[in-house]
Amino acid sequence: MATSDKVAAVEEITRKLRDSNAAVVTSYTGLTVAQLKELRRSLGENAQYRVVKNTLTQIAAKEAGVQLDEHLKGSTAVAFVTGDPVVAAKGLRDFAKNNPALVIKGGVLDGKALSADEIKKLADLESREVLLAKLAGAMKGKQSQAAALFQALPSKFVRTAEALRAKQAEQGGAE
């Protein structure tokens, strides 16, 4: 590879690392071209899977301020994630279950280095949309409880005042 090609490759990888909110490093040895195409489709629209050279990626990671050196050994490909990292992690995990040749080495999420186990834990999370829906449901439930409480106070006051008036009327009629 010519020097200008290497410089361009480093710049592109650096840009992808900076623009991505997550990157997952994998080993792809033993996967066919058809399997790699299937993997790329399983990652969704917000992730790009690219085979990279380790030395160029080390330089790009250093320039991007990301720590990936320990994962850059052997055949390496990186999933650059610009959307929900949970969706991409699930896609990689599920693909690796059916294709043991794909090995998740590690990665980075919002600048923080992740081990392979941490990426698998990330894959076990529910997607951002599901978590937001659960949060909205919980908030709606709390609002309903608060509304019922606020409605109960005046209602209880009215019942207490009515009982007090009835008691006074009863006592006034007995005298």
Side-chain angles (χ1 to χ4, degrees):
M1 188 182 268
T3 305
S4 63
D5 291 340
K6 289 179 181 179
V7 170
V10 168
E11 287 174 358
E12 182 183 356
I13 295 168
T14 302
R15 183 181 47 77
K16 286 182 184 290
L17 286 170
R18 286 183 179 149
D19 293 346
S20 302
N21 52 355
V24 180
V25 180
T26 65
S27 174
Y28 64 92
T29 302
L31 292 176
T32 65
V33 173
Q35 288 172 321
L36 286 173
K37 282 184 181 180
E38 180 186 338
L39 172 58
R40 285 183 174 104
R41 279 193 301 269
S42 72
L43 291 177
E45 298 174 7
N46 297 326
Q48 184 180 26
Y49 191 74
R50 178 164 177 217
V51 174
V52 295
K53 292 195 174 287
N54 291 333
T55 53
L56 300 180
T57 305
Q58 284 175 338
I59 295 167
K62 189 176 283 186
E63 287 182 13
V66 175
Q67 182 61 37
L68 290 176
D69 289 352
E70 67 186 66
H71 307 301
L72 299 174
K73 295 175 181 70
S75 63
T76 303
V78 180
F80 298 99
V81 183
T82 55
D84 188 355
V86 174
V87 173
K90 283 180 195 247
L92 287 166
R93 178 200 60 196
D94 294 344
F95 187 86
K97 281 182 184 176
N98 298 329
N99 301 282
L102 179 73
V103 177
I104 297 172
K105 296 180 181 181
V108 64
L109 174 65
D110 293 328
K112 181 187 177 287
L114 297 176
S115 68
D117 289 336
E118 290 172 320
I119 290 172
K120 290 174 184 167
K121 287 178 185 174
L122 181 65
D124 292 335
L125 291 176
E126 292 173 333
S127 71
R128 182 177 188 271
E129 289 77 20
V130 171
L131 292 174
L132 288 173
K134 285 185 175 185
L135 177 63
M139 290 174 66
K140 183 179 178 186
K142 293 296 179 189
Q143 288 175 342
S144 297
Q145 289 175 347
L149 177 66
F150 292 138
Q151 191 175 22
L153 289 174
S155 173
K156 187 173 183 180
F157 175 75
V158 168
R159 286 193 305 268
T160 304
E162 183 61 32
L164 182 60
R165 187 190 60 74
K167 185 174 181 181
Q168 286 177 347
E170 184 181 297
Q171 286 178 352
E175 290 180 22

